[in-house]
Amino acid sequence: MANAASLPETGFFRLRQIIGNPKADPPIPPLIPVSRSTWWAGVKNGRFPKAVKLGPNTTVWRVEDIRSLISNVEAQKESADA
């Protein structure tokens, strides 16, 4: 999983930027290594942040929400290791 500090402060991410795309040229590494179906199930049950619709075919997530998710996961991992 990516480090939240290495992400931009603001903006939006498309799904392929979050979960990665190994078939892209060059390949896009995942920020959160889960499958597309796992991601959408997590959005539905509240585990992952809600999407923002910019248009009928454009769904994005706020960078701030993804940074927060990564920070929370890192904090949970550190407390579990302690």
Side-chain angles (χ1 to χ4, degrees):
M1 187 171 302
N3 184 338
S6 66
L7 302 178
E9 291 293 321
T10 61
F12 297 104
F13 282 131
R14 300 288 299 264
L15 183 58
R16 67 181 166 266
Q17 293 171 295
I18 298 169
I19 64 171
N21 184 355
K23 295 180 182 179
D25 186 25
I28 301 169
L31 297 174
I32 301 169
V34 297
S35 69
R36 179 179 295 270
S37 59
T38 299
W39 178 261
W40 281 112
V43 169
K44 184 177 180 179
N45 71 24
R47 180 176 175 208
F48 299 133
K50 287 185 176 183
V52 176
K53 291 290 282 184
L54 296 181
N57 296 319
T58 307
T59 303
V60 296
W61 284 262
R62 290 181 179 89
V63 169
E64 299 92 326
D65 295 341
I66 300 302
R67 288 172 61 97
S68 177
L69 173 65
I70 292 170
S71 295
N72 290 342
V73 169
E74 288 173 348
Q76 287 175 356
K77 186 177 180 181
E78 287 175 5
S79 65
D81 290 344

